[in-house]
Coordinates of all heavy atoms in Angstrom, one line a residue:
G15 N -52.9 233.5 128.0 CA -53.2 232.5 127.2 C -53.6 233.0 125.8 O -53.3 232.5 124.7
Y16 N -54.5 234.1 125.9 CA -55.0 234.7 124.6 C -53.9 235.2 123.8 O -53.7 235.0 122.6 CB -56.0 235.8 124.9 CG -57.3 235.4 125.4 CD1 -57.5 234.9 126.7 CD2 -58.5 235.4 124.5 CE1 -58.7 234.6 127.1 CE2 -59.7 235.0 124.9 CZ -59.9 234.6 126.3 OH -61.1 234.2 126.6
A17 N -53.0 236.0 124.5 CA -51.8 236.6 123.8 C -50.8 235.5 123.2 O -50.3 235.6 122.1 CB -51.0 237.5 124.8
A18 N -50.7 234.4 123.9 CA -49.9 233.4 123.4 C -50.5 232.7 122.2 O -49.8 232.4 121.2 CB -49.7 232.3 124.5
A19 N -51.9 232.5 122.2 CA -52.5 232.0 121.1 C -52.4 232.8 119.9 O -52.2 232.4 118.8 CB -53.9 231.7 121.5
F20 N -52.6 234.2 120.1 CA -52.4 235.1 119.0 C -51.0 235.0 118.4 O -50.8 235.1 117.2 CB -52.7 236.5 119.4 CG -54.2 236.8 119.8 CD1 -54.5 237.6 120.9 CD2 -55.2 236.3 118.9 CE1 -55.9 237.8 121.2 CE2 -56.5 236.5 119.3 CZ -56.8 237.3 120.4
A21 N -50.0 235.0 119.3 CA -48.6 234.9 118.9 C -48.3 233.7 118.1 O -47.7 233.7 117.1 CB -47.7 235.0 120.0
L22 N -48.9 232.5 118.5 CA -48.7 231.3 117.8 C -49.3 231.3 116.4 O -48.8 230.7 115.5 CB -49.3 230.1 118.6 CG -48.4 229.6 119.7 CD1 -49.2 228.6 120.7 CD2 -47.2 229.0 119.3
L23 N -50.5 231.9 116.3 CA -51.2 232.0 115.1 C -50.7 233.1 114.2 O -50.9 233.1 113.0 CB -52.7 232.3 115.3 CG -53.5 231.2 116.0 CD1 -54.9 231.7 116.4 CD2 -53.6 229.9 115.1
G24 N -49.9 234.0 114.7 CA -49.2 235.0 113.9 C -50.2 236.2 113.5 O -49.8 237.0 112.7
R25 N -51.4 236.2 114.2 CA -52.2 237.3 114.0 C -53.3 237.4 115.0 O -53.6 236.4 115.7 CB -53.0 237.2 112.6 CG -53.8 236.0 112.4 CD -54.3 235.9 111.0 NE -55.1 234.5 110.9 CZ -55.8 234.3 110.0 NH1 -56.2 235.2 109.1 NH2 -56.5 233.2 109.9
A26 N -53.9 238.6 115.2 CA -54.9 238.8 116.2 C -56.0 239.6 115.6 O -55.8 240.6 115.0 CB -54.3 239.7 117.4
T27 N -57.1 238.9 115.5 CA -58.4 239.4 115.0 C -59.5 239.3 116.0 O -59.5 238.5 116.9 CB -58.8 238.8 113.6 OG1 -59.1 237.5 114.0 CG2 -57.6 238.8 112.6
W28 N -60.6 240.0 115.7 CA -61.7 239.9 116.6 C -62.4 238.6 116.7 O -62.8 238.1 117.7 CB -62.8 241.0 116.4 CG -63.5 240.7 115.0 CD1 -63.1 241.3 113.8 CD2 -64.7 240.1 114.8 NE1 -64.0 240.9 112.8 CE2 -64.9 240.1 113.4 CE3 -65.5 239.3 115.6 CZ2 -66.0 239.4 112.9 CZ3 -66.5 238.6 115.1 CH2 -66.8 238.7 113.8
W29 N -62.4 238.0 115.5 CA -63.0 236.7 115.4 C -62.3 235.5 116.0 O -62.8 234.6 116.6 CB -63.6 236.3 114.1 CG -62.4 236.1 113.0 CD1 -61.8 237.1 112.2 CD2 -61.7 235.0 112.7 NE1 -60.8 236.5 111.4 CE2 -60.8 235.2 111.7 CE3 -61.8 233.6 113.2 CZ2 -59.9 234.2 111.3 CZ3 -61.0 232.7 112.6 CH2 -60.0 233.0 111.7
I30 N -61.0 235.7 116.0 CA -60.1 234.7 116.6 C -60.2 234.9 118.2 O -60.3 233.9 118.9 CB -58.6 234.8 116.3 CG1 -58.4 234.4 114.7 CG2 -57.7 233.9 117.1 CD1 -57.1 234.6 114.2
G31 N -60.3 236.2 118.6 CA -60.5 236.4 120.0 C -61.9 235.8 120.5 O -62.0 235.4 121.6
A32 N -62.9 236.0 119.7 CA -64.3 235.4 120.0 C -64.2 233.9 120.1 O -64.8 233.3 121.0 CB -65.3 235.9 118.9
V33 N -63.5 233.2 119.2 CA -63.4 231.8 119.3 C -62.6 231.4 120.6 O -63.0 230.5 121.3 CB -62.7 231.2 118.0 CG1 -62.3 229.8 118.2 CG2 -63.5 231.4 116.8
L34 N -61.5 232.2 120.9 CA -60.8 231.9 122.1 C -61.7 232.0 123.3 O -61.6 231.3 124.3 CB -59.5 232.7 122.1 CG -58.4 232.3 121.1 CD1 -57.3 233.4 121.2 CD2 -57.9 231.0 121.4
G35 N -62.5 233.1 123.2 CA -63.4 233.4 124.4 C -64.3 232.2 124.5 O -64.7 231.8 125.6
L36 N -65.0 231.7 123.5 CA -65.8 230.6 123.6 C -65.3 229.3 124.0 O -65.8 228.5 124.9 CB -66.4 230.3 122.2 CG -67.6 231.3 121.7 CD1 -67.9 230.9 120.3 CD2 -68.7 231.4 122.6
I37 N -64.0 229.1 123.6 CA -63.2 227.9 124.2 C -63.0 228.1 125.7 O -63.2 227.2 126.5 CB -61.9 227.8 123.5 CG1 -62.1 227.3 122.0 CG2 -61.0 226.8 124.1 CD1 -60.9 227.4 121.1
H38 N -62.6 229.3 126.1 CA -62.4 229.6 127.5 C -63.6 229.4 128.3 O -63.5 228.8 129.4 CB -61.8 231.1 127.6 CG -61.4 231.5 128.9 ND1 -61.1 232.8 129.3 CD2 -61.3 230.8 130.2 CE1 -60.7 232.8 130.5 NE2 -60.9 231.7 131.1
V39 N -64.7 230.0 127.9 CA -66.0 229.8 128.7 C -66.4 228.4 128.8 O -67.0 228.0 129.7 CB -67.0 230.9 128.2 CG1 -67.7 230.5 126.9 CG2 -68.1 231.0 129.4
G40 N -66.2 227.8 127.6 CA -66.6 226.3 127.6 C -65.9 225.5 128.7 O -66.5 224.7 129.3
I41 N -64.6 225.7 128.7 CA -63.8 225.0 129.7 C -64.2 225.4 131.1 O -64.3 224.6 132.0 CB -62.3 225.2 129.5 CG1 -61.9 224.4 128.1 CG2 -61.5 224.6 130.6 CD1 -60.5 224.8 127.7
A42 N -64.4 226.7 131.3 CA -64.8 227.3 132.6 C -66.0 226.6 133.1 O -66.2 226.2 134.3 CB -64.8 228.8 132.6
L43 N -67.0 226.8 132.4 CA -68.4 226.3 132.7 C -68.6 224.7 132.8 O -69.4 224.3 133.5 CB -69.5 226.9 131.8 CG -69.7 228.4 132.0 CD1 -70.7 228.9 130.9 CD2 -70.1 228.7 133.3
T44 N -67.8 224.0 132.1 CA -68.0 222.6 132.1 C -67.0 221.8 132.9 O -67.3 220.6 133.4 CB -68.0 221.9 130.7 OG1 -66.8 222.3 130.0 CG2 -69.1 222.6 129.9
V45 N -65.8 222.4 133.1 CA -64.7 221.8 133.9 C -64.4 222.5 135.2 O -64.5 221.8 136.3 CB -63.5 221.6 133.1 CG1 -62.3 221.0 133.9 CG2 -63.7 220.8 131.8
L46 N -64.1 223.8 135.1 CA -63.7 224.4 136.3 C -64.7 224.7 137.3 O -64.6 224.5 138.5 CB -62.8 225.7 135.9 CG -61.7 225.5 135.1 CD1 -61.1 226.9 134.6 CD2 -60.7 224.7 135.7
V47 N -65.8 225.3 136.9 CA -66.9 225.7 137.9 C -67.5 224.4 138.6 O -67.6 224.6 139.9 CB -68.0 226.5 137.1 CG1 -69.2 226.8 138.0 CG2 -67.4 227.8 136.8
P48 N -67.7 223.3 137.9 CA -68.2 222.2 138.7 C -67.2 221.6 139.7 O -67.6 220.9 140.7 CB -68.5 221.1 137.6 CG -68.8 221.9 136.4 CD -67.9 223.1 136.5
L49 N -66.0 222.0 139.6 CA -64.9 221.5 140.6 C -65.0 222.4 141.9 O -64.3 222.0 142.9 CB -63.5 221.6 140.0 CG -63.3 220.5 138.9 CD1 -61.8 220.8 138.3 CD2 -63.3 219.2 139.4
L50 N -65.7 223.5 141.9 CA -65.7 224.5 143.0 C -66.0 223.8 144.3 O -65.4 224.0 145.4 CB -66.5 225.6 142.7 CG -65.9 226.7 141.9 CD1 -66.9 227.8 141.6 CD2 -64.8 227.3 142.5
P51 N -67.1 222.9 144.3 CA -67.4 222.3 145.7 C -66.3 221.5 146.3 O -66.2 221.4 147.5 CB -68.6 221.4 145.3 CG -69.2 222.0 144.1 CD -68.1 222.5 143.3
G52 N -65.4 221.0 145.5 CA -64.3 220.2 146.0 C -63.2 221.1 146.7 O -62.4 220.5 147.5
V53 N -63.1 222.3 146.4 CA -62.1 223.2 147.0 C -62.6 224.2 147.8 O -61.9 224.9 148.6 CB -61.2 223.8 145.9 CG1 -60.5 222.7 145.1 CG2 -62.0 224.6 144.8
H54 N -63.9 224.6 147.7 CA -64.5 225.7 148.5 C -65.0 225.2 149.8 O -65.9 224.3 149.8 CB -65.6 226.4 147.7 CG -66.0 227.8 148.3 ND1 -66.6 227.9 149.5 CD2 -65.9 229.0 147.7 CE1 -66.8 229.2 149.7 NE2 -66.4 229.9 148.7
P55 N -64.5 225.6 150.9 CA -64.8 225.1 152.2 C -66.3 225.4 152.7 O -66.9 224.6 153.4 CB -63.9 225.8 153.2 CG -63.5 227.1 152.5 CD -63.5 226.7 151.1
R56 N -66.9 226.3 152.1 CA -68.4 226.6 152.5 C -69.4 226.3 151.5 O -70.6 226.7 151.5 CB -68.5 228.1 152.8 CG -67.6 228.6 153.9 CD -67.9 228.1 155.2 NE -69.2 228.7 155.7 CZ -69.8 228.3 156.7 NH1 -69.5 227.3 157.4 NH2 -71.0 228.9 157.1
M57 N -69.1 225.5 150.5 CA -70.0 225.0 149.5 C -70.4 223.6 149.7 O -69.6 222.7 149.9 CB -69.3 225.2 148.1 CG -70.3 225.0 146.9 SD -69.6 225.4 145.4 CE -69.5 227.2 145.5
A58 N -71.7 223.3 149.5 CA -72.3 222.0 149.7 C -71.7 221.1 148.7 O -71.4 221.5 147.5 CB -73.8 222.0 149.7
T59 N -71.5 219.8 149.0 CA -71.2 218.7 148.1 C -72.0 217.5 148.2 O -72.8 217.5 149.2 CB -69.6 218.3 148.2 OG1 -69.6 217.6 149.5 CG2 -68.7 219.4 148.3
G60 N -72.0 216.6 147.3 CA -72.6 215.4 147.4 C -72.3 214.6 148.6 O -73.0 213.7 149.1
R61 N -71.0 214.7 149.1 CA -70.5 214.0 150.3 C -70.9 214.7 151.6 O -70.8 214.0 152.7 CB -69.0 214.0 150.2 CG -68.4 213.3 149.0 CD -66.9 213.3 149.0 NE -66.6 214.7 149.3 CZ -65.6 215.4 148.6 NH1 -65.0 214.9 147.6 NH2 -65.4 216.6 148.9
A62 N -71.4 216.0 151.6 CA -71.7 216.6 152.9 C -73.0 216.1 153.4 O -74.0 216.0 152.7 CB -71.9 218.2 152.6
G63 N -73.0 215.7 154.7 CA -74.1 215.2 155.3 C -75.0 216.2 155.9 O -74.8 217.5 155.7
P64 N -76.0 215.8 156.7 CA -76.9 216.8 157.3 C -76.2 217.7 158.3 O -76.9 218.8 158.7 CB -78.0 216.0 158.0 CG -77.4 214.6 158.0 CD -76.4 214.5 157.0
V65 N -75.1 217.3 158.8 CA -74.4 218.2 159.9 C -73.5 219.2 159.2 O -72.9 219.9 159.8 CB -73.7 217.3 160.9 CG1 -74.6 216.4 161.7 CG2 -72.6 216.5 160.3
S66 N -73.5 219.2 158.0 CA -72.6 220.1 157.2 C -72.9 221.6 157.5 O -74.1 221.9 157.7 CB -72.6 219.9 155.7 OG -72.0 220.9 155.0
T67 N -71.9 222.4 157.6 CA -72.1 223.9 157.8 C -72.1 224.6 156.4 O -72.1 225.9 156.6 CB -71.1 224.4 158.8 OG1 -69.8 224.2 158.3 CG2 -71.3 223.8 160.2
A68 N -72.1 223.9 155.4 CA -72.0 224.5 154.1 C -73.2 225.4 153.9 O -74.3 225.0 154.2 CB -71.9 223.4 153.0
T69 N -73.1 226.5 153.3 CA -74.2 227.5 153.1 C -74.3 227.8 151.6 O -75.4 228.4 151.2 CB -74.0 228.8 153.9 OG1 -72.7 229.3 153.5 CG2 -73.8 228.6 155.4
L70 N -73.4 227.5 150.8 CA -73.5 227.9 149.4 C -74.0 226.6 148.6 O -73.5 225.5 148.8 CB -72.2 228.3 148.8 CG -71.5 229.5 149.4 CD1 -70.2 229.8 148.9 CD2 -72.5 230.7 149.1
E71 N -74.8 226.9 147.6 CA -75.2 225.8 146.7 C -74.2 225.5 145.7 O -73.6 226.4 145.3 CB -76.6 226.2 146.0 CG -77.2 225.2 145.2 CD -78.4 225.6 144.5 OE1 -78.9 226.8 144.7 OE2 -79.0 224.8 143.7
P72 N -74.0 224.3 145.4 CA -72.9 224.1 144.3 C -73.4 224.6 143.0 O -74.6 224.5 142.8 CB -72.8 222.5 144.4 CG -74.1 222.0 145.0 CD -74.6 223.1 146.0
P73 N -72.6 225.0 142.1 CA -73.0 225.6 140.9 C -73.6 224.6 139.8 O -74.5 225.0 139.2 CB -71.7 226.2 140.3 CG -70.6 225.5 141.0 CD -71.1 225.0 142.2
G74 N -73.1 223.3 140.0 CA -73.6 222.4 138.9 C -73.0 222.7 137.5 O -72.2 223.6 137.4
L75 N -73.3 221.8 136.6 CA -72.8 221.9 135.3 C -73.2 223.2 134.6 O -74.4 223.5 134.7 CB -73.2 220.7 134.5 CG -72.7 220.7 133.0 CD1 -71.0 220.6 133.1 CD2 -73.2 219.6 132.2
M76 N -72.4 224.0 134.0 CA -72.6 225.2 133.5 C -73.1 226.3 134.4 O -73.7 227.3 134.0 CB -73.5 225.1 132.1 CG -73.2 224.1 131.2 SD -72.3 224.6 129.7 CE -73.2 226.0 129.2
A77 N -73.0 226.0 135.7 CA -73.4 226.9 136.8 C -74.9 227.1 136.6 O -75.5 228.3 137.1 CB -72.7 228.2 136.7
L78 N -75.7 226.2 136.1 CA -77.2 226.5 136.0 C -77.9 226.5 137.3 O -79.0 227.0 137.4 CB -77.8 225.4 135.1 CG -77.4 225.5 133.5 CD1 -77.9 224.3 132.7 CD2 -78.1 226.8 133.1
N79 N -77.3 225.9 138.4 CA -77.9 226.0 139.7 C -78.0 227.5 140.1 O -78.9 227.8 141.1 CB -77.1 225.2 140.8 CG -77.4 223.8 140.4 OD1 -78.1 223.3 139.7 ND2 -76.6 223.0 141.2
Y80 N -77.3 228.4 139.5 CA -77.4 229.9 139.9 C -78.3 230.6 138.9 O -78.3 231.8 139.0 CB -76.1 230.4 139.8 CG -75.1 229.8 141.0 CD1 -73.7 229.7 140.7 CD2 -75.5 229.3 142.1 CE1 -72.9 229.2 141.6 CE2 -74.7 228.7 143.0 CZ -73.4 228.7 142.8 OH -72.5 228.2 143.7
G81 N -79.0 229.9 138.1 CA -80.0 230.6 137.1 C -79.4 230.5 135.7 O -78.2 230.4 135.5
A82 N -80.3 230.6 134.7 CA -80.0 230.5 133.3 C -79.2 231.7 132.9 O -78.5 231.7 131.9 CB -81.3 230.4 132.6
Q83 N -79.3 232.8 133.7 CA -78.5 234.1 133.3 C -77.1 233.9 133.5 O -76.3 234.6 132.9 CB -79.0 235.3 134.1 CG -80.5 235.6 133.9 CD -81.3 234.8 134.9 OE1 -80.9 233.8 135.6 NE2 -82.6 235.3 135.2
T84 N -76.7 233.0 134.5 CA -75.3 232.9 134.8 C -74.4 232.3 133.6 O -73.5 233.0 133.2 CB -75.1 231.9 135.9 OG1 -75.8 232.4 137.1 CG2 -73.6 231.8 136.4
P85 N -74.7 231.3 133.0 CA -74.0 230.9 131.7 C -74.1 232.0 130.6 O -73.2 232.1 129.8 CB -74.5 229.5 131.4 CG -75.8 229.4 132.0 CD -75.7 230.3 133.3
A86 N -75.3 232.5 130.5 CA -75.5 233.4 129.4 C -74.5 234.7 129.6 O -73.8 235.1 128.6 CB -76.9 233.9 129.3
V87 N -74.4 235.2 130.7 CA -73.5 236.3 131.0 C -72.2 236.0 130.9 O -71.3 236.7 130.5 CB -73.9 237.0 132.5 CG1 -72.8 238.0 132.9 CG2 -75.2 237.6 132.4
A88 N -71.8 234.7 131.4 CA -70.4 234.2 131.2 C -70.0 234.1 129.7 O -68.8 234.6 129.5 CB -70.2 232.9 132.0
V89 N -70.9 233.7 129.0 CA -70.6 233.5 127.6 C -70.3 234.9 127.0 O -69.4 235.2 126.2 CB -71.6 232.8 126.8 CG1 -71.4 232.9 125.2 CG2 -71.6 231.3 127.2
L90 N -71.2 235.9 127.2 CA -71.1 237.1 126.7 C -69.9 237.9 127.1 O -69.2 238.6 126.5 CB -72.3 238.0 127.1 CG -73.7 237.7 126.3 CD1 -74.9 238.5 126.9 CD2 -73.5 237.9 124.9
A91 N -69.5 237.7 128.5 CA -68.4 238.4 129.0 C -67.1 237.8 128.4 O -66.1 238.5 128.1 CB -68.3 238.2 130.6
H92 N -67.0 236.5 128.2 CA -65.8 235.9 127.5 C -65.7 236.3 126.1 O -64.6 236.5 125.6 CB -65.8 234.3 127.7 CG -65.4 233.9 129.1 ND1 -66.3 233.9 130.1 CD2 -64.2 233.5 129.6 CE1 -65.6 233.5 131.2 NE2 -64.4 233.2 131.0
L93 N -66.8 236.4 125.4 CA -66.8 236.7 124.0 C -66.3 238.2 123.9 O -65.5 238.6 123.1 CB -68.2 236.8 123.4 CG -68.6 235.3 122.9 CD1 -70.1 235.4 122.4 CD2 -67.8 235.0 121.6
G94 N -66.8 239.1 124.8 CA -66.4 240.5 124.8 C -64.9 240.6 125.1 O -64.2 241.5 124.5
Y95 N -64.4 239.9 126.1 CA -63.1 240.0 126.4 C -62.2 239.5 125.3 O -61.2 240.0 125.0 CB -62.8 239.0 127.6 CG -61.4 239.0 128.2 CD1 -60.9 240.0 128.9 CD2 -60.5 237.9 128.0 CE1 -59.6 240.1 129.4 CE2 -59.3 237.8 128.5 CZ -58.8 238.9 129.1 OH -57.6 239.0 129.7
G96 N -62.5 238.3 124.7 CA -61.8 237.8 123.6 C -61.7 238.7 122.4 O -60.7 239.0 121.7
I97 N -62.9 239.3 122.1 CA -63.0 240.3 120.9 C -62.1 241.5 121.2 O -61.3 242.0 120.4 CB -64.4 240.7 120.7 CG1 -65.2 239.4 120.0 CG2 -64.5 241.9 119.7 CD1 -66.7 239.6 119.9
A98 N -62.2 242.1 122.5 CA -61.4 243.2 122.8 C -59.9 242.9 122.7 O -59.2 243.8 122.2 CB -61.7 243.7 124.2
L99 N -59.5 241.8 123.1 CA -58.0 241.4 123.0 C -57.7 241.3 121.5 O -56.6 241.7 121.2 CB -57.8 240.2 123.8 CG -57.7 240.3 125.3 CD1 -57.3 239.0 126.0 CD2 -56.7 241.4 125.7
G100 N -58.5 240.6 120.9 CA -58.2 240.5 119.3 C -58.2 241.8 118.7 O -57.3 242.0 117.7
V101 N -58.8 242.7 119.1 CA -58.8 244.1 118.4 C -57.6 244.9 118.9 O -56.9 245.6 118.1 CB -60.1 244.8 118.7 CG1 -60.0 246.4 118.2 CG2 -61.3 244.2 117.9
L102 N -57.3 244.9 120.2 CA -56.3 245.6 120.9 C -54.9 245.1 120.8 O -53.9 245.8 120.8 CB -56.7 245.9 122.3 CG -58.0 246.7 122.4 CD1 -58.3 246.8 123.9 CD2 -57.9 248.1 121.8
L103 N -54.8 243.8 120.8 CA -53.4 243.2 120.8 C -52.7 243.0 119.4 O -53.5 242.8 118.4 CB -53.4 241.8 121.4 CG -53.6 241.7 122.9 CD1 -53.6 240.3 123.4 CD2 -52.6 242.5 123.7
K104 N -51.6 243.2 119.3 CA -50.7 243.1 118.0 C -50.1 241.7 118.1 O -49.3 241.5 119.0 CB -49.8 244.2 117.8 CG -50.4 245.6 117.7 CD -51.0 245.8 116.4 CE -51.5 247.2 116.3 NZ -52.9 247.4 116.3
A105 N -50.2 240.9 117.2 CA -49.6 239.5 117.2 C -48.2 239.8 116.5 O -48.0 240.6 115.8 CB -50.3 238.5 116.3
G106 N -47.3 239.0 117.1 CA -45.9 239.0 116.6 C -45.1 240.1 117.2 O -44.4 240.5 117.6

């Protein structure tokens, strides 16, 4: 996705990579991670009753149920990834 975005824009820079990383982590933490309880067989959900054998706590929005460090590290990791690709990839 990053390479395709760089190709569409016709250039690859560290700051475009950083923006793409922020977009990526924003979608991951607000859309994808909260969907995990619906697909993970061992994660608790709002529908699971007292007889549920689920053992994992659902992540919640921005994965904050796993601590404030989780979204902070996710943002830093995605920024680093986007910046690295922006520096290393050649557009076009």
Side-chain angles (χ1 to χ4, degrees):
Y16 287 77
F20 291 138
L22 283 172
L23 295 172
R25 61 185 174 163
T27 64
W28 70 268
W29 64 270
I30 294 174
V33 169
L34 292 173
L36 287 175
I37 292 169
H38 186 187
V39 76
I41 292 169
L43 288 176
T44 59
V45 177
L46 299 176
V47 171
L49 291 175
L50 281 177
V53 296
H54 195 293
R56 302 290 290 165
M57 190 170 285
T59 67
R61 299 176 311 227
V65 296
S66 173
T67 58
T69 58
L70 298 173
E71 180 180 4
L75 183 63
M76 305 264 315
L78 285 171
N79 288 353
Y80 298 151
Q83 301 90 344
T84 304
V87 169
V89 168
L90 289 175
H92 281 83
L93 274 174
Y95 182 74
I97 290 170
L99 287 181
V101 170
L102 298 172
L103 289 179
K104 301 282 188 250

